[in-house]
Amino acid sequence: MKPRRSILSVPGHVEKMHHKASRYQADVIMLDLEDSVPLDEKEHAREVVIRSLLAMNWQGKTVTARINGLDTRFGYRDLLEVAEEAGRMLDTIVIPKVDHCGDIHFVDRMLDGIEMRKGFSNRIGIEAIIESAEGMENVSEIAGASDRLKALVFGVADYSASIGARLVSISGHGEKEEELYPGHRWNFALSRMVMAAKAHNLMAIDAPYGNFRDPDGLHRFSVMACSLGCDGKWAIHPDQIDIINTVFSPSLKDIERARRVLDAFEKAKAEGRGAASVEGRMIDQATVRLARQLWERASYLKMV
Ligand code: GLV
Ligand code: MG
């Protein structure tokens, strides 16, 4: 699967931002119809998104669209119109506030019909945002609900609201969290979602960091998400892309260590030895698996 280190969320109704977005180094551009679009712009935003999807040169980027929740009056029309008119340009439809697997079944079936009618050669994927207590409770069933699913996304702001967690910043996206809680307040929820995603071979994506003028905070939260198994993180401002790409790419040191592990393992195998060691530590199968994964990611990113 193509990398999804950085996902730049762009408001659907602001056409000039779509043009700019295609030139940034984000792995994914997500055209948003949900929370970054004011209520009175919802219908207009849908038209703008369809126009941009069809008319713009996306420079080979992965492009997705976030629809409104299926519990709103806009969600089903977003799905129908965006997928019918511009589905051949879309990697995935991103569904917010997925509470149970029925939401995914509904979208999956709709896409079946749309693809049959339109004769698209691509198969439109689905990303599910897990951002409620109910969604988190049902996350395993959601992750296994369709083979269209590519990723689960943790929507921390709506999740905080859903569970009634105390708010510490305006956006609810990660700032000043340490004033409330020592360590990583979302460790359990994020890990729970990562576990369900990985059990179903999906990517796990973290929510954006709210304060785009705080690169250190963004870096800290990106490292935490990466260390919990996330594959990428949303960005809400272009200045966040480089930091996210760097954190979610293997470092040169990691690549070198992986190479030494794999070399030592191959050498031991060729010599008929059961055990190998690097830097004075025994290498077991789990270490080899981790090294292979890292190597594959590095080769996909053309780093090796
Ligand atoms: C994203 O949608 C969030 O709620 O954090
Ligand atoms: Mg949300």
Side-chain angles (χ1 to χ4, degrees):
M1 228 193 280
K2 277 171 108 176
R4 276 177 143 70
R5 295 168 303 176
S6 49
I7 296 95
L8 180 65
S9 168
V10 188
H13 59 303
V14 193
E15 195 160 4
K16 67 173 193 294
M17 286 175 86
H18 302 180
H19 288 274
K20 280 193 184 159
S22 69
R23 294 195 288 270
Y24 297 130
Q25 293 305 313
D27 289 336
V28 181
I29 306 295
M30 186 188 78
L31 301 175
D32 185 28
L33 294 171
E34 204 212 13
D35 283 356
S36 64
V37 177
L39 261 189
D40 56 357
E41 290 275 359
K42 293 284 189 192
E43 310 279 347
H44 171 236
R46 196 186 294 138
E47 284 165 27
V48 177
V49 163
I50 292 170
R51 196 162 56 231
S52 290
L53 282 167
L54 294 177
M56 275 182 47
N57 175 0
W58 291 99
Q59 327 260 358
K61 288 204 168 55
T62 301
V63 186
T64 67
R66 176 166 72 163
I67 62 173
N68 286 282
L70 296 169
D71 58 347
T72 68
R73 65 181 197 272
F74 306 110
Y76 83 100
R77 290 222 69 84
D78 293 340
L79 174 62
L80 187 67
E81 289 182 29
V82 175
E84 272 204 341
E85 299 304 321
R88 64 187 164 82
M89 303 303 298
L90 278 178
D91 184 65
T92 58
I93 297 270
V94 183
I95 315 171
K97 304 188 176 65
V98 175
D99 285 340
H100 44 74
C101 55
D103 293 337
I104 304 294
H105 294 153
F106 170 74
V107 173
D108 182 73
R109 281 308 226 181
M110 287 281 290
L111 292 177
D112 282 347
I114 291 169
E115 285 169 353
M116 279 190 276
R117 175 160 186 265
K118 301 293 285 190
F120 293 146
S121 55
N122 59 316
R123 193 156 191 262
I124 304 168
I126 297 176
E127 291 181 57
I129 312 187
I130 307 299
E131 46 187 347
S132 66
E134 195 182 351
M136 198 57 81
E137 177 92 339
N138 295 326
V139 68
S140 297
E141 289 81 18
I142 292 169
S146 162
D147 62 359
R148 290 183 187 272
L149 273 161
K150 292 194 176 176
L152 300 183
V153 182
F154 180 52
V156 67
D158 277 300
Y159 183 73
S160 311
S162 159
I163 61 169
R166 189 155 162 196
L167 194 65
V168 73
S169 65
I170 293 175
S171 71
H173 280 110
E175 280 172 78
K176 301 187 190 155
E177 297 267 311
E178 54 282 358
E179 287 179 16
L180 283 181
Y181 189 87
H184 185 349
R185 184 149 71 123
W186 306 109
N187 183 314
F188 171 74
L190 191 52
S191 295
R192 180 67 196 87
M193 189 200 79
V194 170
M195 194 197 299
K198 300 301 162 106
H200 292 86
N201 224 2
L202 309 179
M203 290 203 183
I205 309 294
D206 192 23
Y209 185 78
N211 183 354
F212 55 84
R213 294 206 177 83
D214 176 15
D216 294 341
L218 170 66
H219 186 267
R220 195 166 59 249
F221 268 75
S222 302
V223 168
M224 286 197 283
C226 183
S227 65
L228 291 178
C230 286
D231 300 280
K233 190 169 172 67
W234 278 13
I236 46 161
H237 191 280
D239 287 353
Q240 297 183 317
I241 296 171
D242 273 357
I243 293 177
I244 295 176
N245 281 349
T246 305
V247 172
F248 286 93
S249 303
S251 69
L252 295 179
K253 209 168 125 204
D254 293 340
I255 295 173
E256 175 54 21
R257 191 185 299 126
R259 192 187 58 75
R260 270 187 282 143
V261 167
L262 295 175
D263 285 354
F265 177 73
E266 289 304 328
K267 190 158 176 270
K269 211 165 74 178
E271 292 170 357
R273 282 184 287 121
S277 68
V278 168
E279 296 168 9
R281 290 177 186 79
M282 294 300 289
I283 300 169
D284 61 8
Q285 288 296 331
T287 316
V288 173
R289 211 175 300 137
L290 282 167
R292 277 204 190 111
Q293 262 178 14
L294 194 127
W295 193 264
E296 273 165 26
R297 197 172 329 152
S299 36
Y300 204 98
L301 295 168
K302 300 192 176 31
M303 297 175 76
V304 291

